[in-house]
Amino acid sequence: MPSAHQVIFCIVNAGFSDAVMDAAKKYGARGGTVIRARGTAGGDSERRYKITVSPEKEIVMILVNVRITDDILHAIYREVGLETDGQGIAFAVPVDQVVGLHQSHKSEQQPDPDGKEEEKT
Amino acid sequence: MQSNNRSAPARQKARHPAGVDSAPVRLKLLFVIIARGKAEFFSDLLQSFSVNLQMSVGAQGTANTDMLRLLGLSDSDKAVLVAVIREDRAAEALSLLDEKFRTIKGGKGIAYTVPMDSVIGVAIYRFLADLDA
């Protein structure tokens, strides 16, 4: 049975994770997790696509209800997509089973690991 | 014909610990997002579910903690555990994780599984699935 949730991975230039979350929150996401990373594109790719690739990246993971996945992906594309300074790439991955979500917000939110109303993972 | 012989080991059915021939055990990626200070605890917990490979990555929560940070109360440091787990142990592991999230002080978090499609190499597969050599 397909799960009601998907996890959105968004890879952006360092410093743009807040912009990703701002875009996602407009459509119902409540929290995400940011991992620092390093991009490896460069050289040929930069010349071919006429872009500059900053190696410092952030990966934002956002667990969302499948109903709002497309809206969030579109919002991310508009606000931090490849045409913007954020140079973001986003994709959604299906999730089988989820635990740890608040019952009251299970449809659209991530939990509050610290027990604070606005705190997210 | 030669290529068939070469690929035979790769198509060999995995054997369950009980020794019964059956379809290979499917694998999943298990993501666990918890407070960084609890990473070791949850990592140890996962090892009891036939998890032979797991990675721990430092991460940050994205909560709006500006005011809390000013007050020195924020704790947005997280750890993401990424583990490879057998499909038949995943539900059991998630159930225990859920219990620990709810009962351990400061242990709240999220866990979810993502299906894995392919693995290359029989030895790697057997290691990941924790099958007897």
Side-chain angles (χ1 to χ4, degrees):
Chain A
M1 190 175 71
S3 164
H5 295 88
Q6 291 186 329
V7 61
I8 293 174
F9 286 85
C10 180
I11 305 163
V12 285
N13 285 338
F16 285 85
S17 57
D18 287 344
V20 173
M21 285 314 303
D22 288 346
K25 282 176 180 175
K26 286 179 191 168
Y27 290 91
R30 292 296 297 260
T33 307
V34 182
I35 300 171
R36 309 224 180 275
R38 192 167 64 86
T40 61
D44 273 358
S45 305
E46 291 188 334
R47 280 189 290 278
R48 189 177 307 149
Y49 297 105
K50 294 179 180 160
I51 56 172
T52 305
V53 179
S54 159
E56 296 298 320
K57 301 286 181 187
E58 289 172 340
I59 303 171
V60 185
M61 295 192 303
I62 312 168
L63 189 63
V64 296
N65 191 292
V66 69
R67 285 177 293 135
I68 58 173
T69 301
D70 282 350
D71 290 338
I72 292 176
L73 284 175
H74 280 102
I76 289 172
Y77 180 79
R78 278 194 307 271
E79 298 186 28
V80 283
L82 276 178
E83 307 290 320
T84 70
D85 289 343
Q87 294 184 316
I89 296 170
F91 53 90
V93 176
V95 165
D96 285 335
Q97 296 164 286
V98 183
V99 297
L101 291 178
H102 279 181
Q103 288 298 324
S104 58
H105 299 137
K106 214 163 189 171
S107 61
E108 295 177 357
Q109 295 182 5
Q110 289 193 220
D112 166 11
D114 300 320
K116 304 176 191 90
E117 183 63 25
E118 290 299 320
E119 178 69 65
K120 318 295 183 317
T121 60
Chain B
M1 285 303 128
Q2 193 176 4
S3 62
N4 281 347
N5 287 338
R6 267 194 210 149
S7 60
R11 287 186 278 106
Q12 185 180 357
K13 285 181 179 175
R15 204 172 270 270
H16 278 277
V20 181
D21 272 339
S22 63
V25 179
R26 293 190 68 85
L27 300 173
K28 291 185 177 188
L29 278 179
L30 170 62
F31 286 77
V32 185
I33 304 167
I34 38 49
R36 201 171 294 178
K38 300 291 181 189
E40 199 169 333
F41 171 81
F42 282 101
S43 178
D44 290 344
L45 195 71
L46 291 182
Q47 284 188 3
S48 59
F49 291 95
S50 306
V51 169
N52 282 335
L53 177 74
Q54 52 179 314
M55 292 168 286
S56 177
V57 184
Q60 295 287 320
T62 63
N64 181 11
T65 54
D66 289 350
M67 185 57 73
L68 292 169
R69 196 175 293 130
L70 284 174
L71 297 170
L73 295 174
S74 71
D75 180 19
S76 61
D77 284 350
K78 305 293 173 200
V80 180
L81 301 179
V82 187
V84 180
I85 188 168
R86 294 162 54 120
E87 186 176 51
D88 57 353
R89 303 298 306 273
E92 191 185 351
L94 284 167
S95 176
L96 184 62
L97 285 168
D98 192 26
E99 182 194 323
K100 297 298 180 190
F101 290 160
R102 284 185 279 110
T103 54
I104 292 177
K105 189 179 178 185
K108 288 181 179 167
I110 310 172
Y112 53 87
T113 55
V114 174
M116 252 173 92
D117 271 353
S118 312
V119 173
I120 188 72
V122 175
I124 299 287
Y125 168 73
R126 296 183 74 84
F127 167 70
L128 294 176
D130 194 35
L131 298 175
D132 292 337

